[in-house]
Amino acid sequence: MTQDERSTPTDSTSEHTPSTGAHMPALERSVVGSVGVALMGAGLRSARPLQKLVLGTVGAGLAAMAATGRNPIATALKIRQGAGGEVLVGDAVTIGRPAAELYALWRPLENLPQLMTHLERVEVLSETRSRWTVKAPTGEVSWEAEITADEPGRRLAWQSLPGAAVENHGEVLFRPAPGNRGTEVVVRLAYRPPAGTAGAIVARLTGEEPAQQLRDDLMRFKREQEVGHAPTTEGQTSGRAAKGGEA
Amino acid sequence: MKAIVWQGTNKIGVETVPDPTLLLPTDAIIKITSTAICGSDLHLLDGVIPSMEKGDILGHEFMGEVVEVGREVKKLKVGDRVVVPFNIACGVCDPCRRGLFSACDNSNPNHRMAEALYGGTSGGGLFGYSHMYGGYAGGQAQYVRVPFADIGPHKIESDLSDEQVLFLTDIFPTGYQAAEQCGIIPGRDVVAVFGAGPVGQFAARSAQLLGAAHVIVIDRVPERLAMAEAAGCQTINYEQDDVLVALREATGGRGPDHVIDAVGMEAHGHGPGALVDTAKQRLRLSFDRITALRWALLSCAKGGTVSLPGVYGGLIDKVPMGAAFAKGLTFKMGQTHTQRYVAPLLARIEARQIDPSFVITHRASLDEAPDLYKTFRDKHDGCIKVVLNPWA
C-alpha cells in the first residue's frame, strides 16, 4: 500500500474515502474469472440437466463478476470497500461516561485486548510503535503499527507499518454526546482481508468478521462502563438442562 | 423445581428443571407465590414470535418472596415480598434514566439478534419471552433468577393479597400506559379500546381513571364484553356490528378521540385484508395479522392518538397510512416501561381506586397450565385471565 492509498483521516471531522461498492482487486478478478469459466465448461460437459443448469449459471455469474470487477455478493452483504480495495468497517456507541475517562482506558494500548476480545495481545514497543497479535483460523497473526494521531480525550489514530500481514489503519473518536448523555465513541477501521473480497464474504457469512466483532466489542465496553458487567443468561436453568443438554 | 416449558409450536409442558442460581452479583432468586399466563404468551404458544428455543421456561407476570441475593444487591433482602416487572432494565443507561425502561440498552445479552431485525437497535431483556429479548428464563415456575434486582422488583409492604398486586408486573401498567399516552382531556375525550382481553380491560379502566368522558370497548367474546360493561363501558361486538359504522354512530360521526389497539399481531377479523394476513402468516411471509390496527387507524377522530399496547413483531403491509395522514393522527407504542408505573399504580390500589383482581377468571396449579394455555387462547369456559399457584 502506498502512502496515497492510505486515506488516513487527518483530523477528527474527516470521513473515510467514500465507499465505491465492492471493487475486486486485479488478482481476485483473474482467479474468480478462471473459476467461473471452468465451472461453465464443466456445466456444458455434464450429462445431468440440473447439474448443467447449476454449474452453468454459477460459472456465468462468476465470470460476469470478474469481467465487471464488481462483486454483487459483497454488495448485497453490505461489505463496504474503499477505492483502494480495502474493507471499511465503522460503528459507534454512546456511553454515559466522560470522554477523557474513556480515552484514558484506550490509550494504554496493552489494555486493548480487554476491550476487544478478538485481540490476543498488544505489545507497546515505543511511544508510537506497537505490535498487535490476533487469533486467526491459521494460528496467530502479528503486525506492527504506529500511532499517527493522538489528541488526548478526543481521538486516537493508527496505521500498520509496511509489511504487515493484515494491512490496516483506523481511528477512534471520543465525541461529547449532546445533552449530558456522555460520549459518542466512534471507531473506523480499514483493512485488506488476506483473501481479498472473497475472504471478507466468507468471514461475514461465518460471523467471524471485524464489523460484527467491533459491534460486540463496543456493546461490551459500554456495558462494562455503565453497568460494571455484561448481562448474561449463560448457566441459567432451562428444560434443556433437565435433558442433559446445555442450559 | 417445576416449570412451564416451551416445547415447540402448540406444545407447552410441565417439566422438572434445575433450580435457578445467582449468575451475577446483582441477581436475586425469588420463590414465586403467584404467576399468570399473559395474552402475549399466546403468541409463543402459536409460534409466531421468532427465536424461541425448545426448553425455554415461560412466564413474565410473577411475584414472590426473595430467597437469595447477590453481594451487590442493596435494596432487597431475603424475606422481602416483591412484584417483578416483566421487563429487565439496568437503570443507568440513557433510556432507563429517561424512564424508558423497556428500551434499556444494556439488559439484553442477545442484542445482536434484535439488531439484525430492528435496524441496529435492540430492546431490553424480557423474562421468558424469546432469545431476541435476551433468552431469560421466565417465572411460570417455582423459582426464578431476577437480574438487576435493585432496579425491577418492588416491595409490597401492605397486606394486599397476591391477586390484588400481581398484575402490577405487566397487564395493569400496560393498559395504563396505553391510556396515559393518549393524552386524554378529562371530561371531553372519547376512548375506544380494541380487544377486551386483560390488557384491554385495564386500558378501559385506566382511561376512566384518567377522566375519559366515555369509553367504548370492541371485542367478540360475550363474557369479555360483559366485564367491560360492568365497568361502565359501552361495548361493540364486531361480529354483530360493522365496527366503523357503530363507532361513528357512538361518537356523533367524529370517531373516538383516541383509539387503543390492545389486540396486536394476531387479530381476528373479516374481509380480504384479514384473509391476506392469515395466508401470509401461514406462509411465514409475515408475522402479523393487523385487522385491529387497520380499524384503529380508520376509526380514530381527526387529530387523535392511536396507542398500541398490543405486540407487533415483524413487517406489516396494507396499513391505511393515507387515513392516518389525512386525519393527522399521532402514534404511540412500545413495550411497557413497567418500572415507571409500579409505585403510582400500587398507590391507586391502596387507595381503593381499583382492584385488579376483577380480571381473574381461572386459578390453577402449574400442572394444569398447559391445558389452560389452550382454554385461554380458545376463549373457552369464560376464560379471561389465569393465575397459577406454583406450590399447589
Side-chain angles (χ1 to χ4, degrees), chain B residues 133-251:
Chain B
Y133 284 105
Y136 289 98
Q140 284 165 11
Q142 291 179 313
Y143 296 93
V144 67
R145 166 198 171 227
V146 175
F148 299 106
D150 277 337
I151 309 303
H154 190 93
K155 269 189 251 186
I156 302 294
E157 288 165 310
S158 56
D159 57 357
L160 292 165
S161 69
D162 273 21
E163 293 191 350
Q164 288 173 297
V165 295
L166 173 61
F167 304 132
L168 289 170
T169 61
D170 181 350
I171 51 172
F172 186 11
T174 298
Y176 188 87
Q177 176 177 297
E180 187 191 61
Q181 64 195 7
C182 289
I184 296 166
I185 298 174
R188 175 190 181 276
D189 286 354
V190 178
V191 177
V193 179
F194 281 91
V199 168
Q201 300 289 344
F202 278 107
R205 287 177 200 231
S206 298
Q208 291 173 331
L209 287 174
L210 292 167
H214 189 56
V215 179
I216 307 165
V217 174
I218 301 102
D219 203 289
R220 68 193 170 109
V221 182
E223 53 271 20
R224 291 177 168 211
L225 294 171
M227 189 179 270
E229 275 162 22
C233 302
Q234 180 185 347
T235 58
I236 296 170
N237 183 328
Y238 69 82
E239 288 195 322
Q240 289 165 8
D241 268 318
D242 181 318
V243 174
L244 299 180
V245 173
L247 280 173
R248 274 208 302 278
E249 192 180 297
T251 56

Side-chain angles (χ1 to χ4, degrees), chain B residues 265-266 277-278 281 286-290 311-316:
Chain B
M265 63 195 287
E266 290 195 87
D277 288 344
T278 305
Q281 198 181 41
S286 165
F287 291 119
D288 307 42
R289 306 191 303 254
I290 64 158
V311 171
Y312 287 91
L315 307 172
I316 56 180

